[in-house]
Amino acid sequence: MQTVNETKRRGNALPEKFVFSFGGGSAEGSTNMKNILGGKGANLAEMASLGLPVPPGFTISTEICTLYYENDECLPESVKANVLSALKEVEKIMGRGFNDPGNPLLVSVRSGARASMPGMMDTILNLGLNDTTVEGLAKVSGQSRFAWDSYRRFIQMYSNVVLGMNHNVLDMTLEDLKADKGYLEDTELTEDDLRSLVASFKKQVTLETGEKFPSDPTEQLWGAISAVFKSWNTARAKTYRQIHGYPDWWGTAVNVQAMVFGNLGETSATGVAFTRDPSTGEKTFFGEYLLNAQGEDVVAGIRTPGPLTDKSAEGTEYTSLESALPLAYKDLVEIYKKLESHYRDMQDLEFTIENKRLWMLQTRNGKRSAQAAIKIAADMIEEELITEEEALLRIDPMNLDKLLHPTLDPKADFVRLAKGLPASPGAAVGEIVFTSEEAEMLKDKGKKLILVRIETSPEDINGMVASEGILTTRGGMTSHAAVVARGMGKPCVAGCADIEVNYQKGEMKIKGKTFKAGDTITIDGSSGEVIEGEVKTIPPQLGVEFKSLMQIADRHRKLGVRANADTPKDAKLAREFGAEGIGLCRTEHMFFDAERIDSVRKMILADNLHERKEALRELLPMQREDFKALFETMEGLPVTIRLLDPPLHEFLPQNDSELEALASRIKQPEDKIRTRIQSLHEFNPMLGHRGCRLAITYPEIYQTQARAIAEAAGEIVKLGKELTPEIMIPLVGTKAELERIRRFVEKEVILVQEEMGVEFHFLVGTMIELPRAAVTADEIAEVADFFSFGTNDLTQTTLGLSRDDSSKFLGPYVSSGILERDPFVSIDQKGVGALVKMGSELGRRTSPHLKLGICGEHGGDPNSIEFFHRVGLDYVSCSPYRVPIARLSAARAALLEKTKLS
Amino acid sequence: MQTVNETKRRGNALPEKFVFSFGGGSAEGSTNMKNILGGKGANLAEMASLGLPVPPGFTISTEICTLYYENDECLPESVKANVLSALKEVEKIMGRGFNDPGNPLLVSVRSGARASMPGMMDTILNLGLNDTTVEGLAKVSGQSRFAWDSYRRFIQMYSNVVLGMNHNVLDMTLEDLKADKGYLEDTELTEDDLRSLVASFKKQVTLETGEKFPSDPTEQLWGAISAVFKSWNTARAKTYRQIHGYPDWWGTAVNVQAMVFGNLGETSATGVAFTRDPSTGEKTFFGEYLLNAQGEDVVAGIRTPGPLTDKSAEGTEYTSLESALPLAYKDLVEIYKKLESHYRDMQDLEFTIENKRLWMLQTRNGKRSAQAAIKIAADMIEEELITEEEALLRIDPMNLDKLLHPTLDPKADFVRLAKGLPASPGAAVGEIVFTSEEAEMLKDKGKKLILVRIETSPEDINGMVASEGILTTRGGMTSHAAVVARGMGKPCVAGCADIEVNYQKGEMKIKGKTFKAGDTITIDGSSGEVIEGEVKTIPPQLGVEFKSLMQIADRHRKLGVRANADTPKDAKLAREFGAEGIGLCRTEHMFFDAERIDSVRKMILADNLHERKEALRELLPMQREDFKALFETMEGLPVTIRLLDPPLHEFLPQNDSELEALASRIKQPEDKIRTRIQSLHEFNPMLGHRGCRLAITYPEIYQTQARAIAEAAGEIVKLGKELTPEIMIPLVGTKAELERIRRFVEKEVILVQEEMGVEFHFLVGTMIELPRAAVTADEIAEVADFFSFGTNDLTQTTLGLSRDDSSKFLGPYVSSGILERDPFVSIDQKGVGALVKMGSELGRRTSPHLKLGICGEHGGDPNSIEFFHRVGLDYVSCSPYRVPIARLSAARAALLEKTKLS
């Protein structure tokens, strides 16, 4: 037998073998011959080799496609000879004859390339019918109408695909007849109608093509095979190959297979089955069938299919296949068990029973719900059908997200109003509210709310907490709304550009339709959809199999998984989801609390060091209590606290009324506040006076934060608990910055330890979130105990791309393939990733055991996690709801690496 | 003789030789013994070896300093013995005796370490005076008052430096006496006053120290030598060494040298001389002297010094030294010629004539004006005194800037109002104007103006053109105002934070003082100074030597030098300054022309492709004419044109009145324009929808620009001229962006060539101005004909630093040493530079001959240019006024590299 040929055939010599039969319990081809049999041919060969009752047929190899083109688009005689001899085999197995008027064999002719190119190439069914064989089919099936309907369909298909006629010509004839008779549906056509249609179809073919419609089945076959080869080079097929990078020289194979019929009376049937329940994953045989029907009838939904098993038919009006055709059912059960253990995965089967004889049309790995995927994987490990490794590799980590959030009821009908970015998963229903203040107020009155904003700012945190979900009209996947919502586990649709919000009027417009505050909408943060009114949602469920799989993942992964959490509530959730520490606690989120914001503002408005220290003194005890609560929750695990990062103007009032209120509360002149706001204005705040730059100007801010951390840690340690606070300095670009800040932060912590008479281990490290930090990481590592890559900001600076602005123009970038993925969702491995790699290598060159983590949004993205594993980071940190995804992704990354190495 | 000892001496054994005599036409030490003689000692030895009449003396080596500390701060007896024997030599040469009442030898005792540590260590003058030798000095000099004044000064100095007394004690005694006598100046003290002061000084020393003031000159000498050694370890000396990284073990040498006096009557004199004119560089002996005076009298300015030569005394009331003391003058002339040919540089000399005998006190390379530096270097090459290489290495490139711009008259008195950043060099005087419209109007009326803005925007271009200079209160060295002003060669002071501008009132406040529009101010863009009223300025002058030196530089440099120029006027200037092409033509500057801006706006406001193309069609002929004029000016040289770069909102009206005017001009509703402005608003425009991103969204913009370039080039080529347009795509981050844009730009140019029936070579390349582009330069090089590093934006993104905002907080960064230099002025070599290097190497890995340039502001900075030379770029491009600096810097970079390699 010819070996698999990976390279292009040259010259037009025929290969040794090029027609491969299958069926009757065996096959000449095999599953590893995809290159010459195509995907479909190889699968059919595999099923046949397993001894399954596959309708017999044969595959003409892809090499003949190349030869066909080299041979001026003619089929060589030796090919025809081989095909005819293979056809003889099929006749034998089916007990029917090609062009046999008594018991005619009909075949399908299908394309099949190495890789699936769905809908790109042509198919012909019911080939072999002519004016005499149609009568044979009518007699054998006992259904004249069916036979003539098949015949007219065949003529329509063949004249279009093989003869190149415009399909409208025959379609019009059909429609004219229906109109004459007053029919609405094709099913109303009588046998006589169909007979007359066949006659007029044939006339029209002659008129259009100048030749008679071929009545010789063999001639039909050569036409169909040629047509399939030709369809390899249609414009749409070429474009498809270009997009997917498939070379032209692959060529397509041609599969010729006997037709079987499930509609030959009450001993025939057709159906689909799953070897396990695809919704729940339960280990029960699951499926539907229809007696006396073709496959398309099951899909069409005109008749309601019945269940396969007696058990599932219990208490219903339906008869099961088990009862209706017990012998065929028994064969089916035997086969499904065989298939599952052969493919070692849940299978999705299609079958037809023709006169009590079971034929298997297709088997493939079945699609399943997220929940089912978990249960099936866990069960199959239990059954020793698959290994732990296989189980982990079979679950798409992103599917876990669906288990953790409410989802829209798939049975619900609804109309989509608009679509934004799927910024934070889960579905939520609520009344529209446009301001955070109102949200807080209405929440207290028991309302369920969706907060709708053009964009959110840190001032909206409480409004976001009070709402079921968040909808914004600007901003991308890492906009403020998106990041914070993901952290909270709240559904969020961001950057929904079709919505125009008018705060003054308290309304929004979507494509001309107006919605007022108080109107109910539903959002789906998993799909980005915005829906009018209330849609039923399904609450999340986590089963015992979920836990068990997570534990298996933990055994296989090398990467640690921490969470980004700012509050004890987030931290608790993170621990429950299996986080091994906090990788990022953003202290500024604590600053926005209503009780504190005025102290923060006093600090910012201070005219001198004395006033600033005064204001910081007010903040100190509050911060200390925050940290204490966080440390208690995370007892025994590391907690990384990032000192103040955002530019100061973010904390000041955003409009005049807020400004006036503040002025009167803190008893300072409005003008002074206004001037300060103006002086803090920046053209590019992202690249401005923020992060550690604030601490170079105002060291007392970080000093106070260091003291709050140290005092909180001291109190915890005094209670005999264990703790290692990790103090993290943001936006470091040079060693000198970190060196200077580290000095006074360390001094403050040691001072507190002396004051309190306690000792605890603590680390001072830095974010690597500027290209310069990555490029000079060897120097920075001299003064850092750890690095945490801040890939959000590193993406912004490396790509020169503002996450707040890019949603306006990034769409076309991704859709047209300039960028593979939104770089704020999945790390840009070539650019940003290269800097992460460089930073890691340079850092470890200075300190071989330097602890390396990542705390950008990419910490929860499976592709990015695989990359971080390869780079050799110690841990990823992500929002609590992403922790399970990260655990599984980390395990998969370790397994994939092992596979590649072995 | 002991060889030079580079390492630390260990143990306290005495070296073979440690006291080195000089004077009388020879020296025991030499100039290459700096390590043991210190800098001053080595220089004195060198002068003496040259046979110059240096006052004789000796140097105690630095090794004795170490020994002194090892020996419990005592001078070993053998050292004393050697010193006394060296002192005998000095007595012999001077014909005077230490402690000889008849003709006393006085000496100075000075420190002298390997490297200069100015003012850090101690000096004692007039050592050797006591109650008897003072009378001898009086007799020999014939000036009793002088002798007693020297004595009282010696006691003051010695008691403070050697005996450790607080200098206030004797200062108070002096002041008390002056008050008693009603004197204002020390010069009013009579001989009797001085005699009584000496007496009371000595009493007070005894009171304070418990011991009598030492009258034995030898005892005085041991005290002074010890004091100098001790001063090596004062706190301030240690700190100085720490800062400069000088090790403690170096130690200081001690120089003991005979005192000579220029104030012993009318045959004595003192003076300073330059071997060439330090202002003009002319080869004439130049200097000043005073008869019967000490060095300090020349500086004090009480008497006006006379000129050295007869020629310069001609027509003045002064007698020249040539006439007054012809023999000494003749000696001096001989010596200065000897010195210049020995040191091969213009010398700055100090001399004293004591009783007709010439003594040389000091010689060093003389400081000179920028103009003189050029002339001297050029003349010395001519004279074959120095090589071309030496000449080039002697000129500080930054000094050239002064030659190209008007400067403040150094003789003018003025009061500085405020200081901003020296953003664009040169001085300018004018009336304050706050808006560009007014500037244009007033300019037409013949006014000279200084445009004062909080910041400038591209809309201010015409106002900037109309003004003599620009002053802004915000923005850094690469802010819009700074970059554009440098390009125009206009003086600019930027980011002057002390100024508060109030546009409404039409006034500005500086430290409480109010200035109205119309008030005259002067700005100095070389120093950043802002001055009230008019200050006289000196126009720039470029001599023939400048040209000749530039040509020499051109012969030695490898880096090409191009200019950033947007207009034919700039281009012409650039060519005159020697630019070899245009490295950056910013097309957007053409868009702001009053005639065109409305077409540009129509394009931006267009609702659809059709309208946008319509507006672009209006712009096409104008752009074509621009390019044509530019190509004509630059005939035969390459011209790099950057396609549209800034975000579109920069072109839209910035306030309501402009908006209304525009709406009525282009007949579009105000609301529509307002909405469009709002929709174009960005949080971080630097990281927003700009550069090639515009062309991904609106390909027709670049298409039109490509057509304008091609049509202009076609017309030039038809005239038989040569031309290679280089089309440059900005802000590329991925290969896919450039690939796509290149495709349609190339297509358009080829289309135009076919239409016009011409052919010309053209290149399509890219800016490398994002870290991602540098990191993936190997990929990008696959589709680029050239790279031009845009180091302005690359600095912004690599450091995460907005050039518009950073001036507010970058100051402390530079002043406290966190950053060595403003990274927008001199490239951050470790960070941004590393990415330039990476981009170059990766680019050339793909295309070994890839043309590499740089067109950021760093292209005109000497340090940066040296870096770019080392990295191996092909050319730098800078503003026209910086072209000479770049030519010289490039030559120096090549020479420095050669030196390092050899």
Side-chain angles (χ1 to χ4, degrees), chain A residues 679 681 683-687 693 737 740 772 775 779 797-800 802 805 808 813 816 828 830 834, chain B residues 679 681-687 693 737 740 772 775 779 797-800 802 805 808 813 828 830 834:
Chain A
S679 81
H681 168 264
F683 296 100
N684 295 292
M686 164 64 210
L687 310 174
R693 295 163 189 174
E737 283 172 326
R740 172 174 308 208
R772 193 187 195 280
V775 169
E779 285 194 354
T797 46
T798 303
L799 274 65
S802 163
D805 302 311
K808 272 194 276 186
Y813 265 75
S816 72
D828 157 40
K830 277 188 190 170
Chain B
S679 82
H681 169 265
E682 294 184 315
F683 295 100
N684 294 292
M686 164 64 210
L687 310 177
R693 295 165 190 171
E737 282 171 327
R740 171 174 307 208
R772 192 187 196 280
V775 169
E779 283 194 356
T797 45
T798 303
L799 274 65
S802 163
D805 303 310
K808 273 194 276 187
Y813 264 75
D828 157 39
K830 278 189 190 168

Side-chain angles (χ1 to χ4, degrees), chain B residues 829-859:
Chain B
Q829 299 190 10
K830 278 189 190 168
V832 181
L835 287 173
V836 170
K837 193 157 176 280
M838 197 182 302
S840 303
E841 289 170 356
L842 288 174
R844 290 228 170 108
R845 199 175 293 167
T846 299
S847 305
H849 301 294
L850 187 69
K851 198 197 298 197
L852 300 176
I854 172 264
C855 63
E857 288 295 305
H858 300 115

Side-chain angles (χ1 to χ4, degrees), chain A residues 224-236:
Chain A
I225 291 171
S226 294
V228 170
F229 280 146
K230 274 191 188 120
S231 70
W232 175 251
N233 268 346
T234 58
R236 61 182 180 160

